[in-house]
Amino acid sequence: MRKIDRRKFVREGLAGVIAVSAGMLLPGFQGVGSETVDQVLLGETNMQVSRLALGCGTNSWARKSVFTRAGLNQFLKVARHAHERGVTFIDTADLYGTHSFVRSLFEEIPRDNFQLMTKIWTENNDWNTVAPVDQTLERFKKELGTDYFDIVLLHCMTNGQWITEKEAFRDQLSEAKLRKQVGKVGVSCHNIDALRVAATDPWTDIILARINPAQAKMDGTPEEIMDILKTAKDNGKGIIGMKIYGAGDLTKEELREKSLKFACQSKNIHAMTIGMEKTVYVDDTVERMMRLTKRNSG
């Protein structure tokens, strides 16, 4: 398997968070408003989630991220506020270092109020030692304070051979589904071939895909990716968009509007995850999302 370029991964994340911190404070922010995010079905999976997920992985690597650097109190402030605005979908991962933060949230707001998605890193490196999936899930349960997971993904697939290369992970996650420890399984894709395979793979319930209209931090052109996502949707997959703001490259007013409109009005994305490390980012995203969604449905 081609190893992921760790330095590139961190560099792109850092560029993104700097851009978000600067760009999202520009004029044109939506006010607090009264909108709340609606619930949607993830394809033909029969799983319902909030249309918007609270992304916990901005600028993440080696179990560190924007939220871990900001601290638990800031995370809880944002997560509480997001929940008040209807965001019940939590997008976390072992990589992000936010499992314990999410556990603290569940101590305030009961776990059953949320849909929880986490991800397993499948390679050995300086911060992770690969273990059998059942051992990893037992660790996750303790870290997150839960005895079940709505969605578990294989994190960051980077080539079209992941089906065979990750066969042991796939088989063990299938067993966890049978034990009802895991609701749905799937992959987050960082490569167009990995995405193409996921779109037709019977094992894959959920796909996390990079998509925006500017081809920022993406795996192909918007047209190429949308064609693949249409195939995935037609095959009943639940599709969650990420990199909606291009990891921070698309945070100016007109770019935010264009990018969110592109995602909201797409026929091939059911939900999306966005990193929102301040309450003002939550308000802006929720107001825009629901305005654009209602306009599209009307």
Side-chain angles (χ1 to χ4, degrees):
M1 175 179 177
R2 181 180 65 80
K3 298 293 185 182
I4 185 170
D5 186 336
R6 189 179 81 169
R7 291 181 179 178
K8 181 180 179 183
F9 192 94
V10 176
R11 184 171 63 249
E12 288 183 353
L14 181 60
V17 73
I18 291 171
V20 168
S21 298
M24 289 192 78
L25 296 178
L26 292 171
F29 256 61
Q30 303 292 308
V32 173
S34 59
E35 294 286 358
T36 55
V37 175
D38 58 342
Q39 297 274 315
V40 297
L41 285 171
L42 286 177
E44 298 175 14
T45 66
N46 293 320
M47 179 171 286
Q48 197 169 33
V49 300
S50 62
R51 188 183 298 271
L52 175 64
L54 176 62
C56 298
T58 305
N59 186 25
S60 59
W61 182 256
R63 301 193 178 106
K64 296 181 177 64
S65 61
V66 163
F67 275 133
T68 65
R69 285 182 281 273
L72 176 60
N73 288 340
Q74 179 63 19
F75 171 80
L76 290 175
K77 179 181 178 181
V78 172
R80 288 186 208 110
H81 188 70
H83 184 259
E84 290 171 358
R85 302 302 304 267
V87 178
T88 60
F89 190 13
I90 304 295
D91 168 27
T92 187
D94 196 15
L95 173 74
Y96 305 160
T98 48
H99 278 180
S100 64
F101 285 18
V102 175
R103 179 184 181 121
S104 294
L105 176 65
F106 292 163
E107 290 171 356
E108 291 191 10
I109 305 172
R111 160 73 177 95
D112 289 349
N113 285 266
F114 295 93
Q115 304 95 34
L116 174 64
M117 179 169 73
T118 190
K119 311 177 195 75
I120 295 174
W121 196 260
T122 61
E123 293 184 18
N124 291 307
N125 49 32
D126 57 358
W127 63 270
N128 181 65
T129 300
V130 172
V133 167
D134 59 347
Q135 293 180 23
T136 299
L137 293 180
E138 286 302 312
R139 172 168 64 85
F140 284 8
K141 288 179 184 179
K142 294 176 183 177
E143 293 172 352
L144 285 156
T146 185
D147 59 3
Y148 70 97
F149 308 92
D150 298 287
I151 302 170
V152 176
L153 304 182
L154 300 180
H155 201 172
C156 197
M157 297 296 98
T158 57
N159 66 44
Q161 289 75 51
W162 67 267
I163 282 185
T164 53
E165 291 177 350
K166 308 302 179 184
E167 183 176 8
F169 291 93
R170 288 158 55 91
D171 290 346
Q172 292 171 54
L173 278 174
S174 294
E175 292 172 5
K177 279 181 70 177
L178 290 174
R179 295 193 300 269
K180 300 192 183 304
Q181 293 180 321
V182 174
K184 303 297 176 184
V185 299
V187 289
S188 72
C189 295
H190 288 249
N191 170 274
I192 194 166
D193 293 328
L195 185 62
R196 284 195 182 99
V197 168
T200 59
D201 172 40
W203 177 86
T204 300
D205 301 316
I206 306 294
I207 296 173
L208 187 58
R210 305 197 282 190
I211 185 68
N212 58 69
Q215 201 174 333
K217 307 296 192 297
M218 276 175 51
D219 304 310
T221 67
E223 294 76 18
E224 288 174 323
I225 300 303
M226 275 299 180
D227 282 347
I228 298 171
L229 294 184
K230 183 180 186 305
T231 298
K233 184 197 73 172
D234 291 345
N235 285 323
K237 312 302 182 187
I239 303 166
I240 304 166
M242 62 174 167
K243 300 297 186 288
I244 305 300
Y245 294 151
D249 286 357
L250 309 173
T251 52
K252 291 183 179 179
E253 157 67 13
E254 65 276 12
L255 297 178
R256 288 202 315 278
E257 181 76 5
K258 182 178 180 180
S259 297
L260 204 55
K261 180 178 180 180
F262 181 75
C264 287
Q265 298 183 358
S266 164
K267 302 297 184 182
N268 302 317
I269 299 171
H270 301 112
M272 66 193 80
T273 178
I274 296 179
M276 301 173 289
E277 66 267 27
K278 296 181 185 294
T279 58
V280 66
Y281 301 169
V282 174
D283 291 331
D284 183 75
T285 303
V286 170
E287 290 297 318
R288 288 180 189 277
M289 173 177 286
M290 296 316 298
R291 169 174 51 80
L292 290 165
T293 300
K294 289 178 179 179
R295 180 181 298 171
N296 188 49
S297 61

